[in-house]
């Protein structure tokens, strides 16, 4: 584990560097140049009458544009609409984009003049870039974001689990949800309608690593959190403070950033990218130090080890994809940046759904995967080490020799009676010595027995339902479900694989 003094030095240095760069950006005077839309003074000035043809008007406006007429904004609009009516798609695209980037008036695309361009690549490009785009993929991402926000709130109502653990894992998923939600607004072009949503996810850009690291630290035995752990949030806090001018800027200023009109966009994006990559990579090292450390937690067997490994692998995969996508900031990936970004958002959605699914399917997940909780839960049980070992040996005998798991009506109460102890003590023995709950232990032995029966059935005379009844299950459905969870294949698939190997 990294020593506190080394951690403090790293965080202070990283925060100072980040603060300096951000301050240089946000304190710089923005180079915004707004133009006021005037009345069409050119018509009054030239005494234009209604008898002029569209082509004559187009030539007149183009000449006025070249001569930098004071009414340039209105002239841009006229040029865009006239070119659209005359089906000059390339020129219509050119002037329309110039008009939008100068006025942020997206309503021009609703003008009937653009109906003449329907079906052209230029018309499709304008719609794709500036008009609302609702797609199945955007809907899927939106649902993932909602699941993330819901999980972040609901997780705090889970009983009998460490409060800090819930905050960390909830915050970690909340960061994902916020990032996904902003991407949905971006990919649907709704960000133009809600410009204040621009870069809102940057608020949590440096929290992904710290939250996951502290979550893992909080669920590891004897890894107590202390005040110095608050320093993990220092870079994120400084990043937020330095970004306040951006968040408090008006909608026009943010639209200039969204449309890329403001040259500061690339600089800001570059700093966010570098800062986040450094944070993700450093905390990948911190987390791996926990999971690969002396406790060997990454090699831990059972559901606990699987849970930790899966979350860590998802985190590493996200870090790699973010680095690859971030190269687009420097124009390295070109058109592939969009594909990589979608893969990245897809992975974030998978992370959200996976954790929420595990919490739903196994409600005890946040309790069971918190070793500190087990210590707190049983510290007043009065069960001595000697008695604990004695009960463990008796329990093993009941399972190995007596095969008590074959009893279809077996329950924690019945098992406790056989051990001549309380339900609480039996539950404690199973949790502490086998790292699982009562039902998982029963299923593990039952499936192991079923596998042995299938392996010994060389002639294939056994029926699956007969095996299910023999090992203690009351129906085939429950048996199939438990078998697949333990063996990753159904009983039928397992039997077929065994037959092929014989």
């Amino acid at each position: 584990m990294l020593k506190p003094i080394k951690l403090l030095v790293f965080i202070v240095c990283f925060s100072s560097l980040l603060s300096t760069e951000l301050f240089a950006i946000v304190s710089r005077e923005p180079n915004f140049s707004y133009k006021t839309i005037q009345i069409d003074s050119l018509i009054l000035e030239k005494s234009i009458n209604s008898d002029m043809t569209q082509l004559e008007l187009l030539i007149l406006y183009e000449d006025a544009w070249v001569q930098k007429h004071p009414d340039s904004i209105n002239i841009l609009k006229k040029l865009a609409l006239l070119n659209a009516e005359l089906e000059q798609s390339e020129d219509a695209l050119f002037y329309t984009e110039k008009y939008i980037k100068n006025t942020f008036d997206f309503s021009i695309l609703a003008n009937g003049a653009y109906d003449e361009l329907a079906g052209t690549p230029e018309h499709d490009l304008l719609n794709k870039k500036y008009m609302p785009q609702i797609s199945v993929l955007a809907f899927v991402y939106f649902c993932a974001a909602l699941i993330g926000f819901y999980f972040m709130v609901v997780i705090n109502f889970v009983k009998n689990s460490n409060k800090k653990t819930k905050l960390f894992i909830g915050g970690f998923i909340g960061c994902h949800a916020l990032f996904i939600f902003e991407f949905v607004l971006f990919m649907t072009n709704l960000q133009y309608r809600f410009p204040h949503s621009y870069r809102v996810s940057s608020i949590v850009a440096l929290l992904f690593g710290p939250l996951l690291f502290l979550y893992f630290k909080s669920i590891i035995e004897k890894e107590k959190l202390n005040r110095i752990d608050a320093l993990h949030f220092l870079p994120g806090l400084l990043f937020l403070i330095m970004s306040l001018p951006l968040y408090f800027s008006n909608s026009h200023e943010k639209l200039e950033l969204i449309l890329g009109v403001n040259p500061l966009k690339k600089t800001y994006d570059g700093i966010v990218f570098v800062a986040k990559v450094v944070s993700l990579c450093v905390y990948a090292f911190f987390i791996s130090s926990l999971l690969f450390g002396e406790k060997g937690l990454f090699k831990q067997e059972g559901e606990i080890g699987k849970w930790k490994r899966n979350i860590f692998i998802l985190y590493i995969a996200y870090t790699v994809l973010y680095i690859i996508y971030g190269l687009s900031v420097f124009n390295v990936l070109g058109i592939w940046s969009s594909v990589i970004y979608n893969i990245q958002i897809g992975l974030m959605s998978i992370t959200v759904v996976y954790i929420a699914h595990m919490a739903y399917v196994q409600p005890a997940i946040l309790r069971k995967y918190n070793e500190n909780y087990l210590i707190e839960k049983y510290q007043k049980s009065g069960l001595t080490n000697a008695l604990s070992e004695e009960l463990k040996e008796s329990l093993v005998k009941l399972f190995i020799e007596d095969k008590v798991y074959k009893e279809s009506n077996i329950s924690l109460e019945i098992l406790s009676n056989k051990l001549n102890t309380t339900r609480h003590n039996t539950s404690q023995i199973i949790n502490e010595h086998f790292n699982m709950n009562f039902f998982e232990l029963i299923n593990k032995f039952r499936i192991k027995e079923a596998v042995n029966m299938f392996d010994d059935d060389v002639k294939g005379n056994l029926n699956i339902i007969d095996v299910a009844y023999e090992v203690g299950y009351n129906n085939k459905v429950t048996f199939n479900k438990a078998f697949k969870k333990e063996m990753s294949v159904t009983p039928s698939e397992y039997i077929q694989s065994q037959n092929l190997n014989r």
Side-chain angles (χ1 to χ4, degrees), residues 132 164 192 313 315 381:
K164 293 179 180 178
Y192 297 134
I313 289 171
Y315 176 82
S381 67

Side-chain angles (χ1 to χ4, degrees), residues 16-205:
S16 300
L17 177 62
L18 181 61
S19 302
T20 302
E21 291 299 324
L22 278 176
F23 183 76
I25 286 183
V26 300
S27 61
R28 195 182 307 169
E29 286 294 327
N31 186 24
F32 300 140
S33 56
Y34 298 110
K35 300 177 181 178
T36 305
I37 299 179
Q38 307 171 16
I39 62 170
D40 193 351
S41 59
L42 185 64
I43 293 178
L44 299 175
E45 179 184 321
K46 300 292 184 179
S47 300
I48 296 174
N49 57 57
S50 58
D51 295 331
M52 293 189 71
T53 65
Q54 289 179 319
L55 185 58
E56 289 174 324
L57 283 171
L58 180 62
I59 295 173
L60 178 67
Y61 281 115
E62 284 181 342
D63 182 61
W65 170 254
V66 172
Q67 295 179 14
K68 299 181 179 180
H69 192 277
D71 197 12
S72 58
I73 292 297
N74 209 26
I75 290 172
L76 269 179
K77 183 175 183 179
K78 295 290 186 181
L79 284 171
L81 296 176
L82 283 170
N83 276 290
E85 290 173 352
L86 293 171
E87 300 183 31
Q88 303 292 325
S89 57
E90 292 185 4
D91 288 338
L93 171 64
F94 173 78
Y95 288 115
T96 301
E97 288 207 296
K98 275 194 170 294
Y99 173 76
I100 289 176
K101 289 181 178 180
N102 276 274
T103 65
F104 312 128
D105 178 18
F106 301 97
S107 64
I108 186 176
L109 297 175
N111 193 290
Y114 290 93
D115 293 342
E116 304 297 328
L117 300 180
T120 64
E122 290 76 14
H123 185 261
D124 293 341
L125 179 61
L126 283 172
N127 281 334
K128 185 177 180 180
K129 288 180 67 174
Y130 302 111
M131 297 297 287
Q133 302 290 318
I134 308 300
S135 64
V136 174
L137 190 59
F139 178 74
V140 171
Y141 290 156
F142 178 68
C143 290
L146 290 184
I147 291 172
F149 289 132
Y150 176 78
F151 176 86
M152 180 180 65
V153 175
V154 172
I155 196 64
N156 291 286
F157 294 97
V158 174
K159 297 180 180 179
N160 298 327
S161 76
N162 188 289
K163 292 182 179 179
K164 293 179 180 178
T165 298
K166 293 186 294 187
L167 287 174
F168 295 144
I169 193 64
F172 179 69
I173 292 303
C175 291
H176 282 70
L178 186 61
F179 202 97
I180 296 169
F181 181 72
E182 183 182 342
F183 181 73
V184 170
L185 294 180
F186 167 75
M187 72 182 297
T188 57
N189 292 331
L190 292 177
Q191 200 167 51
Y192 297 134
R193 276 62 179 176
F194 305 100
H196 288 295
S197 67
Y198 177 70
R199 282 297 180 190
V200 66
S201 63
S202 294
I203 296 174
V204 298

